[in-house]
Amino acid sequence: VGVDVDSKVSLLEAQIKAAKKVKADAKAKANAKKGEVVVTEDNILAGTDVWNLHGAVNRDLAIQHMSASTWITGEPTLAVARKNGAIEVVSKDSGESLYTFNEPEFTAPFSIKSNGRTISDRRYVGLGATDSHFVAATNMGEVRYQAYGEDEQSDAAATLLRLQVDACKMRVHDKRSSLFAIGGREQELTVWDAETTKTAGTTEYAKPTTAPIFKSKNVCNDFLDMRVPVWITDLQFIDDNTSNPTIAISTGYKQIRIYDAKAQPRPVHDWEVSKHPINHILVSHAKPELFFADNEGNLQLMDLRTGRIIGGYKGIAGAVKAIALSEDGTKVAAAGLDRFLRVYEAGGMHRMLHRAYIKQRVSQVVWDWEHRDVNQEEVDQREADSIWENMPKLESLAESKKKGSSKRKAIAVSED
C-alpha cells in the first residue's frame, strides 16, 4: 500500500474536513468487504492519498520485511520477503513483479525447542537488496546471500550460512550489501561478510568455517552476580565504517546498547531508556539521534552521545510495528497495531502532521521521497491544465451576455 502526503494541508484542516464527511462511499465499502484494499472518504484525512500498489489481501503472501532498492536497469523497486518464503522484487511505479525467488522447504512443518520456547514456523527476520544481490535471514539462523540470476530457482552465486537458531533481527550495511549483522534470543551480536565467509557446503545451508568480523560479549553480571540474559530485538549500523562498524542494538529488557567493533567486544554504552520491551530502533542519518519504539505505543527520540531522552511522539495506540525516516531527516513515519500510519515532525515540537488509516495490519514502512516529489508535480500540472481547460473563452462570454440581455428584454415586454 502506498501513501501520498501533501505538506500543504495541516492535520487540523484535515480533521475538520474529515469530520464533515459523515457518509461513506457505499461502493468502496462493498469492495472492502470483498478483500480489496481501498480507502473511503470517511476514513482518510485531507492531504493524504492511499492506494494499492501491488497485490491483494492474502495472509499467505503477507510481507514480513521490505527494502527499497533499484533494479538492474536502474528502475526504483521494492524488495519484499513474504510469509510463504518468496523473495520478490516489485516495481515502485507499476507494481509489476520483476523477480521472484522461492526459498525451498520454507513452509515445511517442523518443531524444535530453543531457549525454553517451541519454534514451529519459519519467518524472515531481515532483508536487504541492491541492484545485483539480496540478503535474507530467517529466525532459524539461515542467511542467504544471492545474486539475481537468469534461473530464479538456482543457487548459483549464492552464499548459504547456517547460524544460531532463534534469531530476531538481521540488518544489512547501507554501504556494503554483503556486510550484515544479526542477533536474537541468547544470540550475541555478530557481524559477517557474505563474500569472504566460507562454509563446508555449497548448495545447502552450512555452518561457517571462518570467524565473524565482530562478535560481541555479554555485559558484566548484575549486582547479584547473576548472568544478564540476551535478547536483541533490533539493530542498526550507525556509521559508514565497514571494517570496524559501530552498531546500536535494542533489547527486550528495555536497554539500548552501542557497540564499537574497534574498541571492545562489550558495549561502550548501555542505557535503560524504557519501561517496556523495545521493538524497533532507527538511527537518524541527519543528526546523532536515535528513534526507539516499544510494545506499548511509545515512540521516543534520544541523543546518541549522552543517552538523554529528547522527546516523544504521541497518538500511537498499541505496539509500534515499523518506523521510517524521510530522506531529509525532517519527518518520521510510524505504524502501530491500530492500523494507522502517522507522520510526525522529527524535530521541533514533534507534531503529528498527517495520519492515514490503512485498513490492513501494517508490517513495514519505507519512505519513497522521489515518488512523492514526482507525484506532487504531476498533481500541480493537472490542476493547472484543468484550470485552463475549464476557463471560458471570450467569445462564449460575449454570446452569454447577449442571450441574457435579450431574455431580460423579452420578460420586460411581457410584463408590460
Side-chain angles (χ1 to χ4, degrees), residues 29 45 52 66 117 272 416:
K29 282 189 174 181
L45 296 182
N52 186 18
M66 181 167 62
R117 303 183 312 121
E272 185 170 331
D416 289 339

Side-chain angles (χ1 to χ4, degrees), residues 153-366:
Q153 303 304 326
S154 68
D155 288 333
T159 300
L160 308 178
L161 303 178
R162 185 177 295 280
L163 304 179
Q164 193 172 340
V165 177
D166 215 352
C168 294
K169 189 65 180 182
M170 186 277 292
R171 186 84 66 173
V172 178
H173 200 288
D174 291 336
K175 301 299 180 181
R176 188 170 180 178
S177 60
S178 62
L179 191 70
F180 66 90
I182 190 170
R185 287 180 181 266
E186 297 304 329
Q187 182 178 158
E188 290 288 351
L189 172 68
T190 53
V191 180
W192 303 83
D193 190 340
E195 292 183 348
T196 59
T197 302
K198 296 181 180 179
T199 61
T202 56
T203 59
E204 295 181 354
Y205 289 102
K207 292 183 178 181
T209 57
T210 55
I213 295 176
F214 172 77
K215 183 176 182 179
S216 67
K217 283 186 178 180
N218 197 6
V219 296
C220 298
N221 293 350
D222 60 14
F223 67 98
L224 294 175
D225 198 27
M226 299 189 67
R227 177 185 175 275
V228 178
V230 177
W231 183 8
I232 298 175
T233 57
D234 201 359
L235 53 92
Q236 281 261 315
F237 289 96
I238 296 179
D239 56 10
D240 295 338
N241 191 337
T242 57
S243 57
N244 294 299
T246 304
I247 304 172
I249 72 160
S250 62
T251 74
Y253 303 109
K254 317 166 194 175
Q255 297 101 357
I256 287 179
R257 294 171 180 156
I258 309 297
Y259 289 89
D260 187 350
K262 188 177 182 181
Q264 61 185 29
R266 284 195 170 94
V268 294
H269 295 293
D270 185 6
W271 300 302
E272 185 170 331
V273 295
S274 177
K275 296 181 180 179
H276 309 283
I278 300 173
N279 293 340
H280 301 282
I281 60 173
L282 176 65
V283 175
S284 172
H285 51 261
K287 299 178 181 179
E289 297 172 346
L290 180 140
F291 301 88
F292 67 92
D294 59 29
N295 61 359
E296 293 292 332
N298 300 309
L299 175 61
Q300 294 180 297
L301 178 66
M302 67 172 287
D303 192 328
L304 272 176
R305 297 165 294 187
T306 62
R308 182 177 63 89
I309 304 299
I310 299 175
Y313 304 85
K314 298 181 179 180
I316 304 175
V320 177
K321 302 299 292 181
I323 51 178
L325 190 64
S326 64
E327 186 180 8
D328 57 0
T330 60
K331 298 179 181 66
V332 59
L337 281 178
D338 57 357
R339 306 189 181 189
F340 273 93
L341 175 68
R342 295 174 174 86
V343 178
Y344 298 91
E345 283 181 333
M349 299 297 293
H350 299 172
R351 295 178 300 171
M352 186 191 299
L353 303 176
H354 305 278
R355 184 183 65 183
Y357 184 59
I358 308 300
K359 283 196 172 185
Q360 310 299 328
R361 287 180 292 183
V362 183
S363 58
Q364 293 291 310
V365 175
V366 173

Side-chain angles (χ1 to χ4, degrees), residues 64-65 81-82 85-87 103 106 122-126 136-139:
Q64 296 179 338
H65 279 274
R82 299 189 181 275
I87 302 294
E103 183 67 44
F106 188 87
R122 280 183 175 84
R123 58 180 176 83
Y124 284 108
V125 296
T138 71
N139 60 333

